[in-house]
Amino acid sequence: MRILQMISDIGVSNGIMSVILNYFKAMPEDIKFDVVYFARTQQTRQADIEALGGRVFKVDSPSPSDFFSGKMDSFFEAHRGEWSALHIHCPHFAVFIAPYAKKHGIDKIAVHCHSTCYSLKGHSSRNKLLSTYAKYCIKNRFACSDEAGKFWYSGKKFNVLNNAVDCKAYAYDKVKRSSKRAQMGLDDSFVVGHIGRTGIPQKNHKFLITVFSKIKAQRGNSVLLLMGGDKTEELANLCKELGVEDSVRFLGSRTDICELLQACDAFLFPSISEGLPVSVIEAQASGLPVVMSDSVTKEVCVTDNVTRLSLDTDAQKWADVLIEMSDKERKDLSVTVAQHGWDIYDNAKILADFYRK
């Protein structure tokens, strides 16, 4: 059985792509994912998808012109009979995709929302209008969280599918921690971690770095690891202005997040908005204390190791709370996270049942 997943891009730093890949790895052997994407990125997950038996297709971004060009119609006609279901991870594009998939024999179609905003790049009004089709014309609706589902589907029925992780892979391990810290020259450092692309304003990197500067003022050996974050001129200038340019590491796209989280001592996440950030689940599974904004849904708080603060709270308070939390003994919380419904293998069974029905 092959399932078609449609997503904007398959970049290493795309959190939605990571969720799809997590589910693919946990799927029963008879279910394979093929992936269609629209936008090119330098580092992609194509090799990972293909290693699991999936195929990858690049098409132009869906648009109203598809109604006249026949692009989507031709794509699904060429692949008729290959897919048992279509899973669209961008609800606002469903209107340009779903009708042609159905025309060419795919009866099971699902839409899946992953955010609590209509766009990260200034297309909110357009996407809100386009999402009307998904809301009213597609009956299989998924959301990464209750808040995301209410936002996108406003009153219509939907099912929450957790952004689950392989909890065992993130379990706290002192040997792995020591090895990674030695490899990165962090043996005597107080390491603060964050996962998120610097090109997305909602990740709030300027405030994040400001909070870190307050942390470093109290603990001079502090280092900030920005996983998924590329250095920008604006952020580099801010680091220099705050005197932390030698302590902030822009790591860019990484495939060793499990090990990097082991190396950290705390996790800082001051996002302005999120659907349901899988990175916060990963951080908790690895036993890290987490300080995050109260703009992030509390559904993500699956252990007692999380503190939510308002973005109106000053940076010094954020720093004080994080340092206080990190003074506690670190424990393996992967089992706790799994027991609260965030284990990928348990959730993959639910999704597999949906595909098979």
Side-chain angles (χ1 to χ4, degrees):
M1 174 184 290
R2 286 195 171 273
I3 311 300
L4 182 61
Q5 310 284 336
M6 299 199 82
I7 185 175
S8 60
D9 73 78
I10 57 171
V12 170
S13 58
N14 186 336
I16 301 173
M17 185 63 243
S18 296
V19 171
I20 294 172
L21 199 58
N22 285 343
Y23 272 94
F24 194 177
K25 291 175 181 177
M27 277 287 138
E29 186 61 31
D30 64 311
I31 296 180
K32 301 296 181 184
F33 288 176
D34 292 335
V35 181
V36 168
Y37 71 101
F38 317 128
R40 293 192 183 280
T41 53
Q42 288 186 333
Q43 290 182 283
T44 75
R45 294 287 192 180
Q46 181 163 347
D48 298 317
I49 296 165
E50 293 174 343
L52 293 168
R55 299 176 298 169
V56 178
F57 303 91
K58 166 71 170 64
V59 300
D60 292 336
S61 182
S63 70
S65 65
D66 296 341
F67 294 129
F68 308 101
S69 69
K71 178 182 65 183
M72 279 294 166
D73 192 18
S74 298
F75 175 80
F76 283 105
E77 182 179 23
H79 295 279
R80 187 179 182 91
E82 295 183 19
W83 297 302
S84 301
L86 168 63
H87 199 145
I88 304 171
H89 295 270
C90 29
H92 56 289
F93 281 151
V95 63
F96 307 124
I97 300 169
Y100 301 109
K102 191 171 183 63
K103 175 183 175 182
H104 294 289
I106 302 179
D107 293 324
K108 178 163 286 189
I109 300 173
V111 288
H112 198 149
C113 64
H114 295 268
S115 67
T116 52
C117 61
Y118 287 115
S119 175
L120 299 175
K121 298 180 180 180
H123 303 298
S124 294
S125 297
R126 180 203 68 180
N127 291 354
K128 181 179 181 180
L129 177 63
L130 292 176
S131 67
T132 303
Y133 177 88
K135 187 189 307 182
Y136 292 103
C137 299
I138 297 180
K139 66 177 182 179
N140 299 309
R141 293 178 286 265
F142 288 113
C144 66
S145 68
D146 191 56
E147 288 187 15
K150 289 176 179 176
F151 180 88
W152 278 88
Y153 306 130
S154 56
K156 295 296 181 180
K157 183 179 179 181
F158 63 89
N159 292 309
V160 173
L161 187 66
N162 288 333
N163 287 354
V165 301
D166 183 351
C167 292
K168 289 183 180 179
Y170 288 90
Y172 177 51
D173 186 308
K174 291 182 179 179
V175 175
K176 291 181 180 179
R177 170 180 167 82
S178 297
S179 175
K180 195 65 174 180
R181 287 172 70 91
Q183 176 190 333
M184 299 185 71
L186 298 170
D187 289 311
D188 300 320
S189 302
F190 176 69
V191 183
V192 180
H194 177 268
I195 301 174
R197 287 182 284 182
T198 46
I200 300 178
Q202 283 80 357
K203 296 296 181 182
N204 207 11
H205 277 88
K206 289 192 287 185
F207 183 69
L208 170 69
I209 292 171
T210 301
V211 173
F212 174 71
S213 71
K214 304 295 184 182
I215 295 170
K216 187 167 178 62
Q218 296 181 60
R219 294 197 175 183
N221 61 339
S222 296
V223 174
L224 176 61
L225 301 183
L226 295 177
M227 299 165 250
D230 295 309
K231 183 182 286 188
T232 67
E233 183 178 358
E234 180 183 29
L235 293 180
N237 289 337
L238 177 61
C239 289
K240 187 173 183 179
E241 178 187 328
L242 296 174
V244 296
E245 65 269 30
D246 295 329
S247 301
V248 178
R249 300 190 187 182
F250 294 87
L251 301 183
S253 300
R254 303 287 295 221
T255 57
D256 58 346
I257 297 298
C258 290
E259 292 81 9
L260 288 168
L261 288 175
Q262 295 290 335
C264 292
D265 295 293
F267 194 79
L268 189 57
F269 204 77
S271 285
I272 296 170
S273 68
E274 292 279 349
L276 194 144
V278 67
S279 56
V280 176
I281 299 297
E282 293 168 342
Q284 289 176 87
S286 68
L288 286 175
V290 177
V291 180
M292 69 178 193
S293 72
D294 60 7
S295 299
V296 179
T297 175
K298 62 182 179 182
E299 295 170 72
V300 82
C301 303
V302 295
T303 70
D304 295 331
N305 224 17
V306 181
T307 296
R308 300 167 79 228
L309 293 176
S310 168
L311 291 174
D312 293 329
T313 303
D314 64 77
Q316 184 62 59
K317 177 65 174 179
W318 277 71
D320 293 342
V321 170
L322 184 138
I323 290 173
E324 181 181 354
M325 290 183 67
S326 66
D327 285 337
K328 299 177 183 178
E329 181 184 1
R330 185 169 176 179
K331 299 178 180 178
D332 177 13
L333 296 176
S334 59
V335 174
T336 302
V337 173
Q339 289 174 341
H340 280 78
W342 294 91
D343 184 73
I344 189 62
Y345 293 97
D346 293 335
N347 283 273
K349 291 177 183 177
I350 296 172
L351 186 56
D353 286 344
F354 165 75
Y355 290 144
R356 285 172 171 154
K357 280 182 181 178

